[in-house]
Amino acid sequence: MRSSCYQAGKLQPTSFLVENSFARAIGTEVISSALLKRALKQGTFQPMPARRVLIPKGNDKWRPLGIPIVRDRVAQEVLRRLLQPLFEPLFHPDSYGFRPGRSTHMALRRVLELKRRGYRQVLDADICGFFDNLPQPVILRGLTNVVADGTILSLIEKFLKAGVMEEGVVKPTTVGTPQGGVISPLLANIALNFLDWHLEARRYRFVRYADDFVVLCKSAQRTEEARSQVEIFLKEELGLTLSNDKTKVTTFQGGFAFLGFELGSHRCRMRSKSVENFKKQLQEKTIRSRNLDREVVRRCNEVVRGFANYFSTEFSTCCNQFRTLDRWYRMRLRCMKYKRQSERDNWRLRNVRLRRMGLVFLSDYQYPLRC
């Protein structure tokens, strides 16, 4: 089935596709659009090195990002709009990351559906430095199975080898795809699509969101076999490895983390790392030396609404966590108001008064059927 899809997917002439996709992507809003359009059509476009940015990922570790300049982001968006419709029919149904009409909640619902069908043994897999270690020939192999236009293939290869600028020094990128580019998620799905269909051919049930995936089985022996199959395929075909520290064979009874949630036999709640992230963001906005004014209320509400909209679903069981975090949050607000921590302040600044100030809380958004 996959090979027939590959044979069916053929690109139209590059000039026609670039012309139309470029118009849809940016219209006439960019001053140098004519020059950029011409460079893309003629194959003379040269991307600039991406800017290296490090963001914290917890445990004193940093995640490297590669941020392209605006011109390169526009060009990548043109490529993404060209390639996405061709590859979308070829992707596995249980791949949910960075695909139109799919979300993390859909991936979680699929995991819970498989649990109800008896798939309670879990391989919780983690790929070591996926975006940094993914071999570029693997990406190009996935592209050439569908795309026959040399101009487009050459342009993507230029983006992969454009390098990164870190502290004013340009460093080459001979491996991986910079995490932070517009087209990087699509290239990641193209590479991992090989793994998806490899697992499908061996009748494994799995759910994948970008490089985060779980394999679900009905027996512990089958789960161990899945781990062996994944390790061998990643090493031999994709040039990647599983993290020994983070990859584990477990069960729903033992629990595991997936996409910000902690999943168990009878629970689907915020994982501890998500709780810490929620507290950290509010701590930065409720420092005692500041005043509790409208700007603080607005910024705090943004954090609360963001977490509530993600974790309050029909399948989550976060009510007790929400109430505990709300009590902690109100304590932070009272400390900010009175510059101290005292239980007497619960009477001085009651919950009703906090709501009159416009503050919202996680419990306001909890899904009623799960409480």
Side-chain angles (χ1 to χ4, degrees), residues 281-313:
Q281 290 193 39
L282 285 180
Q283 283 172 342
E284 294 173 350
K285 295 171 175 57
T286 56
I287 299 174
R288 291 190 192 184
S289 60
R290 300 177 183 173
N291 293 324
L292 183 55
D293 54 22
R294 289 186 178 181
E295 179 62 20
V296 172
V297 171
R298 183 188 65 82
R299 295 175 63 189
C300 289
N301 283 349
E302 289 177 352
V303 175
V304 173
R305 288 193 182 103
F307 275 82
N309 288 332
Y310 184 75
F311 289 102
S312 180
T313 66

Side-chain angles (χ1 to χ4, degrees), residues 107-122 205 207 216-218 251-253 256 262-268 315 317 370:
L108 289 160
R109 290 188 187 99
R110 176 59 173 164
V111 171
L112 296 174
E113 177 192 347
L114 291 171
K115 184 191 80 169
R116 289 190 293 269
R117 290 167 52 183
Y119 294 88
R120 295 176 175 269
Q121 303 288 329
V122 181
R205 296 289 180 265
V207 178
L216 300 103
C217 306
K218 291 187 176 181
T251 64
F252 274 92
Q253 185 174 0
F256 62 98
E262 179 189 334
L263 304 178
S265 296
H266 304 288
R267 67 182 184 276
C268 182
F315 56 79
T317 56
R370 302 294 293 181

Side-chain angles (χ1 to χ4, degrees), residues 111 114-124 199 202-207 214-230 249-252 256:
V111 171
L114 291 171
K115 184 191 80 169
R116 289 190 293 269
R117 290 167 52 183
Y119 294 88
R120 295 176 175 269
Q121 303 288 329
V122 181
L123 168 63
D124 183 10
L199 293 172
R202 283 147 184 81
R203 300 183 179 277
Y204 287 110
R205 296 289 180 265
F206 69 94
V207 178
V214 292
V215 182
L216 300 103
C217 306
K218 291 187 176 181
S219 67
Q221 179 182 357
R222 180 81 167 153
T223 312
E224 292 290 351
E225 293 174 356
R227 176 170 185 163
S228 177
Q229 288 283 344
V230 170
V249 173
T250 183
T251 64
F252 274 92
F256 62 98

